[in-house]
Amino acid sequence: MLNQAAISKVEYAVNSGTAIRLLTNKSFDIILCEYDLGSGSDGQDGQQLLEDLRHHQLVKPWTIFIMLTSEAVHSKVVSAAELTPSDYILKPFTVDVLSGRIARAIERRALFLPAYQLMDKGDLHGAVKACLAAEAKHPRLAADFVRLRAELQLSLGEWKEAEQIYADMLATRPMAWVHLGLARTLFAQQRHEEVEAALGVLVEQNPRFMAAYDLLAQNHEAMGQPLQAKKILEDAVTISPHVVRRLRRLGGMAFESGDIGAAERAYKQVVIKAKYSEFRDPEDHVNLVKTLVKKGDGPQASGVLRDMERSLRGGANVEACRAISAAMLHELAGNDLGAASELQQAANAANMAQGLSTQLKVGLVQSCLKNNLDDAASEVMMKMVNEADSDVSMEQAVDVFEKAGRHDLAKGLGQQIKNQVQELLEDAAGKTESGEFKGAVFMLRQALRRTPGNMPVLFASVEAILRQLNMLGWEPVLAEQLQEQLQVIRKIDPKHPKLESLRQQYVATQHKYGIAT
């Protein structure tokens, strides 16, 4: 049929794993996907594959994804899906229907492409303007452009603006995604009771709209109601039992609340369902071992460890997870020397690993401190703080050692980080003097990541960004960073004498490039 529609460059995937491998290596303009992927995809359907692809950013916003469904399935899918495909085609269909739908999807993509390309560059404000222009120019797709604009403003932290868009949409098109979008803006503003009311109605009207359950659980967590959050996720897993990310979250929530039985059930499902997945994560085995150790079930925990050793390919991540799991088993057996030995190996591997979660590494630091492996704990923590994409600040790192009763190590670690920040400030000043404006901004970004509330670094960073914008040209992403940093300064010290001067300099820079009038 595709050949008859003059589409000749076609590749096939026999299951979701093959599709993911193909999409990891190259991009495709159009993806046609059966909703029912069969037993070869371990229970995963086409909608869940689409969610995985979007979550792991394996498809661009402009990739056309068309779902092929039976009529019986279509009504269920449309009500359940927040992440919608470009189109659904009901089976059976003819060549004319297929070619017509593809042509329509390509035409629609062309209209959205300017906004998508701005998003890809990180210019979200520019994308908002593109959506506004397109709404007036293409009234047939106005609702779709409004939806994208609202999502962009939510991403930008412009919650009031997004809230108004969703409220206006509710008056004319009270669809499930509109209710969910409004609930997200309310959640971002910490209006938790309003979120609960809005999502309660949404779940009642659309009991298979899974994103509503996820946000409702998150809202209960934020309200300090872990048991209610766990119950919501359990209901969601009953309805949609194959989404590994949701099962992971349920396992973690159950473990933290002390429901070890529920944690064990969830983590077992994660390990089983992820076994043949392209997104398999050795931390799943660690979580299951931790749960079984907490339960006191050494034999079953040992079996999980053996499965990890047998079925996962080697590497620093797997070695770190293996050693952490083995250390927990040694602790359960009362073998302190064995535990310490494995923790040292885990620390060595973690320092070479890429992509291990912050939670796992902080747990490793805590275990090292408990077993008097002070050097190992400090090395892992410093490596965490120094990673380019780290979300661990100096304050958080020091707090881990303070809570372990190790004020001496906390003080030493804090001083090390302060020294690093001072060196970065000096390097940035040197680069500015030699005209390396981008290098100066980069150095200060690293310093700010380590100490996000450090006022001298904040001011130096704002000044460096202003200098780069004025000397090398306007960059929307950089301008947004500058605005965020000014907001942080304003929050810390709204009456600081330099604040108004910097704001005026920024406005002058906007005028220079015609950004503001």
Side-chain angles (χ1 to χ4, degrees):
M1 283 185 173
L2 290 168
N3 286 330
Q4 289 178 54
I7 297 174
S8 56
K9 293 182 180 178
V10 181
E11 295 193 41
Y12 301 89
V14 295
N15 54 35
S16 60
T18 308
I20 289 163
R21 285 191 292 276
L22 277 170
L23 288 160
T24 301
N25 294 322
K26 62 186 290 190
S27 62
F28 289 79
D29 294 297
I30 301 169
I31 300 169
L32 299 176
C33 180
E34 285 275 357
Y35 176 80
D36 182 4
L37 294 175
S39 58
S41 289
D42 195 33
Q44 191 177 57
D45 58 41
Q47 179 64 38
Q48 288 154 3
L49 172 61
L50 173 58
E51 289 179 14
D52 265 347
L53 295 176
R54 295 252 177 95
H55 178 76
H56 293 279
Q57 299 180 336
L58 292 181
V59 291
K60 294 287 190 182
W62 55 78
T63 302
I64 294 170
F65 192 106
I66 296 177
M67 194 85 74
L68 312 178
T69 71
S70 67
E71 193 165 357
V73 167
H74 178 254
S75 59
K76 291 182 188 175
V77 176
V78 170
S79 66
E82 182 217 348
L83 296 176
T84 54
S86 309
D87 202 354
Y88 293 96
I89 301 181
L90 300 184
K91 300 182 289 185
F93 51 83
T94 63
V95 175
D96 289 341
V97 168
L98 179 62
S99 60
R101 293 296 187 85
I102 290 173
R104 189 172 75 180
I106 292 171
E107 180 188 346
R108 183 182 186 279
R109 181 179 70 172
L111 301 179
F112 278 84
L113 201 55
Y116 287 151
Q117 288 173 333
L118 288 165
M119 288 165 60
D120 201 43
K121 292 175 184 174
D123 184 2
L124 301 191
H125 279 116
V128 168
K129 290 178 183 175
C131 287
L132 274 167
E135 286 166 34
K137 196 173 179 182
H138 308 290
R140 182 173 58 87
L141 295 171
D144 297 303
F145 282 110
V146 169
R147 179 178 185 177
L148 180 56
R149 177 160 59 92
E151 289 170 356
L152 287 166
Q153 293 195 299
L154 193 53
S155 299
L156 285 164
E158 296 172 352
W159 303 314
K160 288 293 183 185
E161 293 85 345
E163 181 183 350
Q164 188 59 56
I165 294 170
Y166 286 122
D168 292 343
M169 285 292 289
L170 274 180
T172 56
R173 299 188 65 173
M175 300 173 72
W177 64 263
V178 183
H179 285 281
L180 181 68
L182 179 59
R184 283 183 172 148
T185 66
L186 296 171
F187 181 80
Q189 297 171 74
Q190 299 182 13
R191 291 155 62 182
H192 298 301
E193 291 183 1
E194 292 176 70
V195 174
E196 186 175 2
L199 291 175
V201 173
L202 179 54
V203 168
E204 187 177 335
Q205 293 175 348
N206 300 269
R208 292 184 56 81
F209 196 72
M210 305 317 301
Y213 290 86
D214 294 333
L215 183 57
L216 189 54
Q218 194 177 350
N219 191 58
H220 279 299
E221 271 192 293
M223 293 171 75
Q225 300 170 345
L227 294 179
Q228 291 93 321
K230 180 170 75 73
K231 174 65 170 62
I232 293 293
L233 281 188
E234 285 173 338
D235 292 343
V237 165
T238 301
I239 298 167
S240 177
H242 301 300
V243 179
V244 170
R245 290 192 306 280
R246 188 176 293 124
L247 284 164
R248 280 189 186 120
R249 194 164 161 222
L250 174 58
M253 211 174 278
F255 187 89
E256 291 300 320
S257 69
D259 190 345
I260 301 305
E264 180 185 354
R265 289 191 295 275
Y267 283 136
K268 277 183 175 175
Q269 284 298 303
V270 170
V271 169
I272 290 167
K273 291 182 185 301
K275 190 160 192 175
Y276 302 105
S277 167
E278 294 303 305
F279 305 119
R280 196 176 186 196
D281 188 342
E283 290 191 36
D284 293 332
H285 285 76
V286 177
N287 288 328
L288 182 52
V289 168
K290 179 176 69 174
T291 303
L292 293 167
V293 165
K294 183 80 172 177
K295 184 183 173 184
D297 191 341
Q300 201 177 168
S302 297
V304 175
L305 176 57
R306 285 194 298 273
D307 177 61
M308 186 198 301
E309 292 170 332
R310 185 174 59 249
S311 62
L312 282 164
R313 292 189 295 272
N317 286 38
V318 174
E319 173 55 22
C321 290
R322 183 210 64 76
I324 290 169
S325 300
M328 286 190 279
L329 282 163
H330 281 304
E331 280 189 10
L332 181 64
N335 181 2
D336 293 341
L337 285 175
S341 174
E342 290 289 359
L343 285 169
Q344 184 63 61
Q345 291 182 55
N348 294 340
N351 287 330
M352 295 185 290
Q354 297 288 329
L356 291 174
S357 72
T358 298
Q359 183 183 16
L360 180 122
K361 287 186 282 191
V362 168
L364 173 58
V365 169
Q366 291 166 335
S367 295
C368 287
L369 290 172
K370 183 180 169 185
N371 286 270
N372 300 314
L373 298 172
D374 296 354
D375 290 344
S378 297
E379 284 174 21
V380 172
M381 186 59 82
M382 279 303 297
K383 178 75 163 48
M384 258 198 290
V385 170
N386 289 329
E387 284 173 342
D389 58 349
S390 174
D391 56 355
V392 178
S393 67
M394 180 183 80
E395 187 179 26
Q396 292 166 324
V398 167
D399 190 52
V400 172
F401 288 90
E402 292 285 9
K403 283 180 176 174
R406 296 305 307 272
H407 178 69
D408 55 331
L409 293 177
K411 188 177 179 181
L413 183 77
Q415 190 57 53
Q416 266 187 280
I417 298 170
K418 285 177 183 176
N419 292 343
Q420 285 184 345
V421 170
Q422 186 58 41
E423 286 176 16
L424 287 165
L425 278 168
E426 291 168 5
D427 287 346
K431 287 188 179 298
T432 298
E433 284 180 22
S434 62
E436 295 179 60
F437 303 119
K438 289 187 177 181
V441 168
F442 176 78
M443 291 291 180
L444 289 164
R445 189 182 302 135
Q446 299 306 309
L448 203 53
R449 186 182 54 69
R450 290 167 173 80
T451 54
N454 185 317
M455 290 290 272
V457 177
L458 277 163
F459 280 115
S461 180
V462 169
E463 289 165 354
I465 292 173
L466 278 168
R467 198 175 294 112
Q468 182 180 327
L469 291 174
N470 279 304
M471 299 301 291
L472 301 181
W474 184 262
E475 289 187 30
V477 176
L478 212 53
E480 284 174 19
Q481 289 174 11
L482 185 150
Q483 288 176 302
E484 288 168 7
Q485 289 168 19
L486 285 175
Q487 286 172 5
V488 173
I489 294 171
R490 189 174 290 111
K491 191 177 288 186
I492 295 170
D493 186 357
K495 296 182 179 179
H496 196 286
K498 287 180 70 175
L499 186 59
E500 180 58 24
S501 169
L502 287 172
R503 191 193 68 78
Q504 289 177 3
Q505 288 178 54
Y506 176 56
V507 171
T509 304
Q510 287 181 303
H511 281 295
K512 176 180 175 180
Y513 293 106
I515 307 300
T517 57

